[in-house]
Amino acid sequence: MVKIRWHSRRSPAVWMLVVLAGLLVCGIWLAVQFREEGSKIVLQVEPAPEFAGYHLEQLATDRTDFVGDNSKVVRLVDQLPLPDTFYIRQSVALQTAMTPYGLTVFYEPASEMAELMSYRPDAGPESQLTVNSSRNALVLFIMIDNVDEITFAYRNSKSEQASFRRYTYRRADFVNAFDLNELRKDRAELGQLLVNWSPSAVIVRPVEVSGGHSEPAALAEATEAPQPGEPKVEHAAAESPDGRYRIESYGINKDVFAGGLYPAEGIRLTDTANKETKWSMTPGYYTQSFLWSPDSRYVAVSYMARTWSGVIIVDTNDFSEVMLPGLDELRERWDGTTTVNEQRPDPYWEAVEWLDDDRLSVSVKWTGTEDTEYSGTFIYDVSKRELMELKPNESTMH
């Protein structure tokens, strides 16, 4: 074995100077990269890039496959730059009952003071309102996979009698003009497109509709439409058979509505003696219903969103949640072959009745390929956490 030794001819003093110089350089670098806050040293993190007011990294965290995903869709809408400072978002409506699936965002004056001003946003085809509306539509089409139409509705008064001016954009027109999948992957390219977006730079732009005539190639239509009727909220409540507990929906969420309904703000289970909340669930849903077991130990909570519904059971012994079998488990037990429509499975679970203190009957249905509908009922033993019996409806057995 050959050993190699390195002999330094420099003195210890020279090496000490070298070390001190290195430490000085490191100190300068740290001073640039960090700042001191009290006793903490905080890393200066570069903010995510912003393109024409769009924070694409943050928007991407709420990307969704379905326009019926209320919470994500509303968050996406609220992250969009306002089309004009005159307006503020009023509400969001979803159309998910049938194709084409749609999203409508309603805007009204930001304040009563703005309404009294003489200024009104120009709504012409070359206007900033039109540019920003079409740009917002592009971002939403990229972030929501199955939305077919996006409408922005503007009114220049807060009066309930005021009409909305609507601009409706169609996914098909954007697909013809852009590779939306590629823009979803390449945020830098999308950002540059948003920065350079203008009516003269792109072929997609809305035009005014007058006298029943519009240009055939128009991407959007501007029409006058009446104010939709004020949606309502449907609340539900039920007291336990022994009178100890009450479960109820409460509040109202006006950020979104569908089918003429606002969802409830949430659901809570309270002690009737001291009004203490023992269990709660947020957000609320468009409809909810409650079924208590005969012995008051369990309550089945059925809740319905726009395109799906579910059931959970609350155990009042410890206020824990019991989850029922999901679609995959039911399909494994189904008598015959089943399929699932990957785009719109529309699974609906609903508690039907308690057969005794422990066993709950639940109805279920979902959509398969080629619009095949599967439906039936199952019995679940809550105490055993076990699916006891599954009965498909004869018309859905294959």
Side-chain angles (χ1 to χ4, degrees), residues 187-209:
R187 291 172 197 156
E189 181 182 352
L190 172 58
Q192 289 308 307
L193 177 61
L194 294 171
V195 169
N196 298 319
W197 191 269
S198 69
S200 60
V202 294
I203 65 171
V204 288
R205 60 180 182 177
V207 298
E208 294 292 333
V209 175

Side-chain angles (χ1 to χ4, degrees), residues 297-322:
R297 174 171 177 177
Y298 303 110
V299 59
V301 180
S302 300
Y303 49 92
M304 181 178 293
R306 192 64 187 86
T307 59
W308 58 274
S309 67
V311 178
I312 60 172
I313 299 170
V314 180
D315 185 347
T316 61
N317 271 8
D318 56 6
F319 300 99
S320 60
E321 297 176 3
V322 179

